[in-house]
Amino acid sequence: MKKTLLSLSVLLLGFTAANAQSDTVMMRKIYDEALVNGQCYQNLRYLCKNIGGRLSGSANAQKAVEWGKKLMEGYGFDKVFLQEVMVPHWERGAKEQGYIISGTKKTPVAICALGMAVATPANGITASVVEVHSLQEVAALGEKGVKGKIVFYNRPFDPRYIETGGAYGTAGDQRRAGPSMAAKYGAVGVIVRSLTEANDDYPHTGTTQYSDDAPKIPAAAISTKAADKLSAMLKGGNIKFFFKQNCRMLPDVLSYNVVGQITGSENPNKFITVGGHFDSWDLAEGAHDDGTGVMQSVEVLRILKTLGYKPKNSVRAVFFMNEENGTKGGLKYAELAAANKEEHIAAIESDEGGFSPRGFTFDGLNAEQIKSLNKKYKGLFEPYEADRLVAGGSGSDVGPLRAVAPNAVLIGFRPDSQRYFDIHHTANDVFENVNKRELELGAATMASLVYLIDTRGF
Amino acid sequence: MKKTLLSLSVLLLGFTAANAQSDTVMMRKIYDEALVNGQCYQNLRYLCKNIGGRLSGSANAQKAVEWGKKLMEGYGFDKVFLQEVMVPHWERGAKEQGYIISGTKKTPVAICALGMAVATPANGITASVVEVHSLQEVAALGEKGVKGKIVFYNRPFDPRYIETGGAYGTAGDQRRAGPSMAAKYGAVGVIVRSLTEANDDYPHTGTTQYSDDAPKIPAAAISTKAADKLSAMLKGGNIKFFFKQNCRMLPDVLSYNVVGQITGSENPNKFITVGGHFDSWDLAEGAHDDGTGVMQSVEVLRILKTLGYKPKNSVRAVFFMNEENGTKGGLKYAELAAANKEEHIAAIESDEGGFSPRGFTFDGLNAEQIKSLNKKYKGLFEPYEADRLVAGGSGSDVGPLRAVAPNAVLIGFRPDSQRYFDIHHTANDVFENVNKRELELGAATMASLVYLIDTRGF
């Protein structure tokens, strides 16, 4: 088999002994290692199936930390350590109930509490419903239109965004700020259409952010099918809505970022970080969000080590804790970077799912630098169909580095975005929805960028 | 809602009245129509769920033809017509059986007859097994090693191909030519490892091609899991294999290509074709292979018509019959093109699944022309992440046009290839495995290319 492998490589690449050490050859080796001997898929299976959902502060999150540290230690990296961080501890409690009341008829609908939301009273909330499509509409309705009611945010995803993150971003204010906006005008509860284009019966959780200048009122996500039904029934006449949720905030909990490091041979105090977040929502296994990102990150280090690559700069894989409801892990990583006087060159975050790689977005390079980056690297990524190297944001966990490392290039790994929000934050975010090759190609793409940054810079 | 739509477009594109007719604007309209009002997903659901698998010559294939014609007529294209074509009629018959015999123990394994294969005798075939990894190995073994045995081709997919079609192409000789090669040396049957990287228990059918200089022996595909088990048991000692299949060839059947046309305003006898194949294997619904291709093709015409675009050249959507086991529809289309003295400018085939678009491969443009094409069009496709415009093959159905239209540009639509061979030719090729947005983006990408070719040429 070895011989066949080599001769195919020769055939594919036409390389000779003379340029055997070139970037092209190294990248081919990286992809071959990921695709032939890849371990991120089996690691992800373990994380999803043997640990499962791992919301910050939960027993499962602690299990994940312990397993993740062992996994890294098993790979024999130069350093493996934990970073202590206090995280919020929110619990969903017993499964939520929701139904539409029309006369004596009750139609059950699929809902789930938004993350960080408060509970309803023990006997739930029953109220009439006002449907809106924006926060502005709530303000325009004012107390007269909203007081004592349940506000139902029902603005759908805009399907015209090619990258679905755009639709998520623009629809997301309803979930994030909608509850407090409704509370300001006296609403008693909020129901938000799930942030997805999928038309199904799975509600999508995700954090809501209560503002300090309004009462905290219960808020839940409703499935898109149920939202359409509720909207239709509202047009049909006088209905009420009932929902009951049982979530609560507990005291903060000591948790950890898990860090693995290959120490730089030339610049041990200069760092290239690749990471994802270890915590997940509680409704499923946190497979694409963000099991794939953390398992790809450790795979990046495994691949480089396996290939005998000795980085000039220190390369770290970081499993950040608490991205979903606090970003405390990302903030702690930046805080410790400053305290320890680390020099951060670059940090890559994978938190958009384990789908086919398309490229990266770069924060910290100007237009001229992006152009030069493309000149150097686009051709190298082209054979792997991951050559979109454009300006853009990075990720919630590496983002805080900006404040302490003004010159760091913060990078978002960008996989194909079409399927992510179908399952994001739902009961469907399970291992079975991850494709092995897509996951592996992503890991290889990130490993290649780490290698290129380390070897040749930006 | 209309107002919001418009203002977002303005925001996204920064277009003004002055360039409102530009290609950029037209492409944005095409994508918006596909994503907001798309009909290919619901049409595909009908095809998969109300008709289902549609192997050439079957009653279902005829149902599909009748429905497809009505669908096109419903859209009010300028012409909708059928092209008569005689197609082979192969039937699988009762479900196949296979097991590994070790002493008195029988271990059942998942197999299915290869398309066009012959049946076993009524009581099946029981023989010892010789495992090989290539056709050359069979020749090297010769009669001495093969005679009276079942030859088991077990060379796996090579995971290092970035586009999985490469792995399919190179592993495929085992299925296509393996049975006749084994028969030449006296084998009594052939078992072929399924052509996939997926590790599961679904056998993948697909055509085998018997050569005239060897007896026709029964040949079946075995699931990858079962192939691994068989291989392991062969190493463990003396085993036999039993299989029984009940397929048969029936007389050829009259069938049809379904053609819809928007007639060109300037060059009615010049044609741009977009198509996929209407027939499918019988194990499932032919969703990705190739329900997506045909439903995208008719969507291309629907979008152009809905947007009021009047093509200069005639644009056709073609549902080709019999790609899977004969390509008789593709051959007939070319034959009639010649007989009717049609001038074919371009033909695009979508037969690699309804996944996220990546671009197109072009057959009929030289390196200089590909370069010029990229200069003109790459930037237009970039915002849609479908800008890989490279030299390459087209598809089995449009391929025959080359013989009668030497100057035609034959084009393959290229979606992301990672998931295709997981389900290709198996019981899993069902509607549920198609993503709505991915399908729609593909249709919009093809419609855009048709528009560009029609307006500006290559």
Side-chain angles (χ1 to χ4, degrees), chain A residues 390-401:
Chain A
V390 298
S394 55
S396 308
D397 297 300
V398 304
L401 276 176

Side-chain angles (χ1 to χ4, degrees), chain B residues 48-256:
Chain B
C48 290
K49 298 302 177 190
N50 295 51
I51 296 173
R54 43 199 180 279
L55 191 54
S56 289
S58 67
N60 261 11
Q62 180 58 25
K63 257 197 229 175
V65 165
E66 289 163 18
W67 172 77
K69 182 163 178 277
K70 269 190 203 152
L71 179 76
M72 294 237 221
E73 287 167 347
Y75 286 133
F77 302 143
D78 296 329
K79 283 188 193 175
V80 176
F81 57 96
L82 302 180
Q83 293 180 328
E84 293 190 354
V85 55
M86 294 302 292
V87 297
H89 187 193
W90 177 86
E91 270 187 0
R92 182 172 304 280
K95 191 170 164 46
E96 304 84 347
Q97 291 174 275
Y99 43 81
I100 305 166
I101 305 165
S102 174
T104 56
K105 197 184 158 199
K106 292 178 181 180
T107 306
V109 293
I111 65 160
C112 68
L114 294 184
M116 308 299 266
V118 297
T120 56
N123 55 352
I125 290 173
T126 306
S128 61
V129 176
V130 54
E131 177 177 340
V132 298
H133 294 85
S134 69
L135 277 66
Q136 293 74 5
E137 205 179 329
V138 173
L141 286 168
E143 276 209 12
K144 200 178 156 196
V146 165
K147 196 169 183 182
K149 292 185 179 170
I150 292 171
V151 170
F152 166 38
Y153 289 98
N154 195 28
R155 185 169 84 255
F157 251 39
D158 187 329
R160 293 164 303 152
Y161 284 94
I162 301 305
E163 293 196 346
T164 57
Y168 182 68
T170 55
D173 63 337
Q174 300 174 97
R175 188 193 80 199
R176 290 188 302 269
S180 282
M181 175 61 96
K184 269 186 208 169
Y185 296 98
V188 293
V190 163
I191 299 292
V192 182
R193 182 187 183 89
S194 285
L195 297 179
T196 182
E197 197 183 327
N199 181 241
D200 61 26
D201 239 333
Y202 294 91
H204 294 229
T205 191
T207 290
T208 191
Q209 286 146 359
Y210 289 125
S211 64
D212 292 334
D213 60 353
K216 294 182 178 180
I217 59 172
I222 186 168
S223 74
T224 49
K225 271 195 194 243
D228 290 343
K229 181 179 285 179
L230 177 55
S231 182
M233 289 179 75
L234 278 166
K235 285 179 188 70
N238 199 18
I239 62 153
K240 293 199 166 191
F241 193 83
F242 164 88
F243 75 115
K244 176 164 160 28
Q245 59 191 35
N246 311 285
C247 32
R248 57 178 183 163
M249 287 296 310
L250 296 161
D252 285 2
V253 167
L254 177 62
S255 188
Y256 307 89

Side-chain angles (χ1 to χ4, degrees), chain A residues 199 225, chain B residues 39-54 67 283-289 291-292 295 354-355 419 423 426-440:
Chain A
N199 183 240
K225 270 195 194 245
Chain B
Q39 297 190 12
C40 51
Y41 190 66
Q42 70 195 47
N43 288 338
L44 180 66
R45 180 189 282 121
Y46 190 96
L47 179 64
C48 290
K49 298 302 177 190
N50 295 51
I51 296 173
R54 43 199 180 279
W67 172 77
L283 297 175
E285 299 167 2
H288 277 291
D289 188 16
T292 52
M295 293 301 100
F355 305 100
R419 288 175 286 150
I423 57 169
T426 75
N428 285 323
D429 189 9
V430 294
F431 178 72
E432 289 75 6
N433 285 325
V434 179
N435 178 276
K436 181 173 179 283
R437 285 183 58 87
E438 293 185 351
L439 181 73
E440 291 169 348

Side-chain angles (χ1 to χ4, degrees), chain A residues 28 160-161 163 385 437, chain B residues 28 160-161 163 385:
Chain A
R28 187 67 244 183
R160 293 165 303 152
Y161 284 95
E163 294 195 346
E385 308 188 10
R437 286 183 58 87
Chain B
R28 186 68 244 183
R160 293 164 303 152
Y161 284 94
E163 293 196 346
E385 309 187 8

Side-chain angles (χ1 to χ4, degrees), chain A residues 118-121 125-132 134-135 137-139 141-153 174 177-192 210 213-220 241 243:
Chain A
V118 296
T120 57
I125 290 174
T126 305
S128 61
V129 176
V130 54
E131 177 177 341
V132 297
S134 69
L135 276 66
E137 205 179 330
V138 173
L141 286 167
E143 276 209 11
K144 200 179 154 194
V146 166
K147 195 168 182 181
K149 292 184 179 169
I150 291 170
V151 169
F152 167 38
Y153 288 97
Q174 301 174 96
S180 282
M181 176 62 95
K184 269 186 207 169
Y185 296 99
V188 293
V190 163
I191 298 292
V192 182
Y210 289 126
D213 59 353
K216 294 181 178 181
I217 59 173
F241 193 84
F243 75 115

